[in-house]
Amino acid sequence: MKSKPIPFEFIKSLEKLLGKDWVLTKESDLLAYSYDSSSLIKIPSAVAFPEKKEEVIEILKLAQKYKVPIISRGAGTATTGSPLAHKGGLVLCFSRMNRILELNEEERIVIVEPGVLNGDLKKFLKKYGFFYPPDPASFAYSTIGGNVATGAGGPKCFKYGTTKDYVLALEVVLPGGKVLKTAPYTLKAAVFYNITPLFVGSEGTLGVFTEIVLKIIPLPEKRLLFLSAHKKEEKPLEIISQLLKNKVTPASAEFVDKTTFLALLNSKQKDLLKNFANFKALLFLELDGEESAVDKEKSKVEKFYNDLGIFYIKAEEEEEIERLWDIRRAISPALKILGEKKIADDVVVPRRFMKELLFRIRKIEEETGLNICCFGHAGDGNFHVNILFNPEKEKIALKVREEIIKEVLSLEGTISGEHGIGYTKKSFVSWELSPFQIEIMKKLKKVFDPDGILNPHIKIPD
Ligand SMILES: Cc1cc2nc3c(=O)[nH]c(=O)nc-3n(C[C@H](O)[C@H](O)[C@H](O)COP(=O)(O)OP(=O)(O)OC[C@H]3O[C@@H](n4cnc5c(N)ncnc54)[C@H](O)[C@@H]3O)c2cc1C
């Protein structure tokens, strides 16, 4: 597969602006920016590495002039093909714009460039006793720019909310180099339309972020993790509902279904799970907050688990908590034993329908004989549905995916809770949205990107 050429003058101007070292055009170099965590490979025409916003502004002026598609890229961990140049174009990689610009403890905000890694920001804030909760499982290597553009979630988002709940304002560069501040850097603002949320989850289709203002909160005083094991697969989902009704608010409630659990029992984490071998499902339940509040909730959970005769272990030391979370983090690599290929979705249904969705998916699994995993952020009603298969079963797997999406929609759900649409789910958007909603998406895109040069070919149906 060859990369699509773009005007020679455009490349020359880029090289003049950034220096030759920061513009890639050789096919062998471009390969490194041709993939993300989907299975797609799309070689861009060129890759540029701006170091400051003034350079981004100039690049977007040039892109407008030469009508070159601009594909923003953080760390390339998206699961949907969203940071890829589907029909050529310039990949704008933010690895050099990775500075934490300001921490304001009084305002409880932090201002960052888009290329800062989520994990680096967490480490930095911890030194000052602060906390930025959104924690995609990829937090150690995904960027804040990518997290904002996908609306990333994670285990902690059950209690604390997802990325959308932490973005106070954005500085966005539009085609032609216009700079738009979506809001003042204040904690409240009611003058301009509230457009910041429009950019969260926009997947690079509306503008290029150069500065991100995030809300932060004090680091919780205490953490505590319960890992429970269950003989009935759906039991953890019932437990979450009952705990919520009981006014317990866990920081995280992560579910491991029976198919995923089987894979974990054969993974590098199998020693940690040796006491759990006779069970079918797991529930990770983390509590955090002020010490007295955590202790109160701990007693409630312990009583609840003991009354029901639930098998669990409890970790109260940081190191032990992280060791147990390693089991959850090991899921992605562990699934490889279930099939050479995978289709991964992140569907959401109202919490009350999670059990029903699980039953329906199991029925599909029995009928087709494929391995279907449903793990993840059960507290949010968000299942990571992974269909594992060998290449000869691809057609069946694609059909299964369609069946599952139909079930999700029939249960008042949505096809993506946090990974976004990108390229791989674009054909399903019209299954969920009405023609009127899609028309609104197209009109909004035109307001910010009239020539359609920002991440074309993703998110919005053709
Ligand atoms: C093992 C694994 C676990 C994961 N777990 C989770 C999880 O728990 N929760 C979750 O939500 N996701 C998860 N993901 C998906 C992925 O990590 C997230 O979507 C993440 O937010 C992507 O960040 P990134 O820096 O890699 O962005 P990229 O993949 O590079 O880009 C993602 C999108 O952001 C846009 N973008 C990047 N930078 C900018 C910018 N400066 N301006 C405008 N647009 C920009 C890109 O164009 C693209 O549309 C996981 C992925 C992997 C591989």
Side-chain angles (χ1 to χ4, degrees), residues 9-20 23 55 62:
E9 299 77 14
F10 177 71
I11 297 290
K12 281 283 141 216
S13 309
L14 281 183
E15 287 177 346
K16 199 166 156 215
L17 179 71
L18 304 178
K20 274 191 170 185
V23 182
E55 292 172 349
L62 290 167

Short mmCIF file of all heavy atoms in Angstrom, two decimals, residues 9-20 23 55 62:
data_model
loop_
_atom_site.label_atom_id
_atom_site.label_comp_id
_atom_site.label_asym_id
_atom_site.label_seq_id
_atom_site.Cartn_x
_atom_site.Cartn_y
_atom_site.Cartn_z
N GLU A 9 5.20 21.69 -2.76
CA GLU A 9 5.39 23.02 -2.13
C GLU A 9 4.94 22.99 -0.65
O GLU A 9 5.51 23.67 0.19
CB GLU A 9 4.57 24.12 -2.84
CG GLU A 9 4.90 24.34 -4.31
CD GLU A 9 4.32 23.25 -5.21
OE1 GLU A 9 3.45 22.50 -4.76
OE2 GLU A 9 4.78 23.15 -6.36
N PHE A 10 3.92 22.19 -0.40
CA PHE A 10 3.42 22.07 0.98
C PHE A 10 4.50 21.47 1.87
O PHE A 10 4.81 21.99 2.95
CB PHE A 10 2.15 21.19 0.98
CG PHE A 10 1.57 20.93 2.34
CD1 PHE A 10 0.94 21.93 3.05
CD2 PHE A 10 1.64 19.66 2.90
CE1 PHE A 10 0.40 21.68 4.32
CE2 PHE A 10 1.11 19.40 4.16
CZ PHE A 10 0.49 20.41 4.86
N ILE A 11 5.11 20.38 1.39
CA ILE A 11 6.16 19.71 2.17
C ILE A 11 7.34 20.66 2.37
O ILE A 11 7.89 20.78 3.47
CB ILE A 11 6.64 18.43 1.44
CG1 ILE A 11 5.49 17.43 1.32
CG2 ILE A 11 7.84 17.80 2.14
CD1 ILE A 11 5.05 16.80 2.62
N LYS A 12 7.71 21.35 1.30
CA LYS A 12 8.86 22.30 1.39
C LYS A 12 8.58 23.36 2.46
O LYS A 12 9.44 23.70 3.27
CB LYS A 12 9.09 22.99 0.02
CG LYS A 12 9.82 22.12 -0.98
CD LYS A 12 11.32 22.07 -0.66
CE LYS A 12 11.85 20.69 -0.89
NZ LYS A 12 12.85 20.17 -0.05
N SER A 13 7.35 23.88 2.43
CA SER A 13 7.00 24.92 3.42
C SER A 13 7.05 24.36 4.84
O SER A 13 7.48 25.04 5.78
CB SER A 13 5.60 25.48 3.16
OG SER A 13 5.47 25.87 1.84
N LEU A 14 6.59 23.11 4.99
CA LEU A 14 6.63 22.48 6.32
C LEU A 14 8.06 22.34 6.79
O LEU A 14 8.39 22.62 7.96
CB LEU A 14 6.03 21.07 6.27
CG LEU A 14 4.53 20.90 6.26
CD1 LEU A 14 4.19 19.41 6.27
CD2 LEU A 14 3.92 21.56 7.49
N GLU A 15 8.93 21.89 5.88
CA GLU A 15 10.34 21.69 6.26
C GLU A 15 10.98 23.02 6.66
O GLU A 15 11.78 23.07 7.59
CB GLU A 15 11.10 21.05 5.09
CG GLU A 15 10.72 19.58 4.91
CD GLU A 15 11.38 18.91 3.71
OE1 GLU A 15 11.95 19.64 2.85
OE2 GLU A 15 11.32 17.68 3.64
N LYS A 16 10.58 24.07 5.97
CA LYS A 16 11.14 25.38 6.29
C LYS A 16 10.66 25.83 7.69
O LYS A 16 11.41 26.38 8.48
CB LYS A 16 10.66 26.38 5.24
CG LYS A 16 11.48 27.63 5.18
CD LYS A 16 11.19 28.42 3.93
CE LYS A 16 11.56 29.86 4.21
NZ LYS A 16 10.70 30.82 3.58
N LEU A 17 9.42 25.50 7.97
CA LEU A 17 8.82 25.92 9.24
C LEU A 17 9.38 25.13 10.43
O LEU A 17 9.74 25.71 11.47
CB LEU A 17 7.29 25.69 9.15
CG LEU A 17 6.45 26.02 10.36
CD1 LEU A 17 6.39 27.55 10.55
CD2 LEU A 17 5.02 25.48 10.19
N LEU A 18 9.47 23.80 10.28
CA LEU A 18 9.81 22.95 11.43
C LEU A 18 11.26 22.47 11.42
O LEU A 18 11.77 21.99 12.43
CB LEU A 18 8.90 21.70 11.45
CG LEU A 18 7.39 21.92 11.47
CD1 LEU A 18 6.67 20.58 11.44
CD2 LEU A 18 6.97 22.69 12.71
N GLY A 19 11.89 22.55 10.28
CA GLY A 19 13.21 21.91 10.12
C GLY A 19 12.98 20.52 9.54
O GLY A 19 11.99 19.86 9.87
N LYS A 20 13.93 20.08 8.69
CA LYS A 20 13.73 18.82 7.96
C LYS A 20 13.54 17.62 8.88
O LYS A 20 12.83 16.67 8.55
CB LYS A 20 14.93 18.55 7.05
CG LYS A 20 14.80 19.23 5.71
CD LYS A 20 15.86 18.73 4.77
CE LYS A 20 15.56 19.24 3.38
NZ LYS A 20 16.41 18.74 2.37
N VAL A 23 9.86 16.61 9.78
CA VAL A 23 8.88 16.29 8.73
C VAL A 23 9.30 14.97 8.11
O VAL A 23 10.41 14.85 7.57
CB VAL A 23 8.84 17.39 7.64
CG1 VAL A 23 7.77 17.07 6.60
CG2 VAL A 23 8.59 18.76 8.25
N GLU A 55 3.46 27.07 15.45
CA GLU A 55 3.74 26.18 14.29
C GLU A 55 2.46 25.47 13.84
O GLU A 55 2.23 25.31 12.64
CB GLU A 55 4.81 25.15 14.68
CG GLU A 55 6.17 25.81 14.89
CD GLU A 55 7.23 24.86 15.46
OE1 GLU A 55 6.90 23.74 15.90
OE2 GLU A 55 8.42 25.28 15.48
N LEU A 62 -1.27 26.51 5.96
CA LEU A 62 -0.77 25.83 4.75
C LEU A 62 -1.75 24.74 4.29
O LEU A 62 -2.00 24.57 3.09
CB LEU A 62 0.60 25.19 5.03
CG LEU A 62 1.76 26.15 5.23
CD1 LEU A 62 2.97 25.41 5.81
CD2 LEU A 62 2.14 26.80 3.89
#
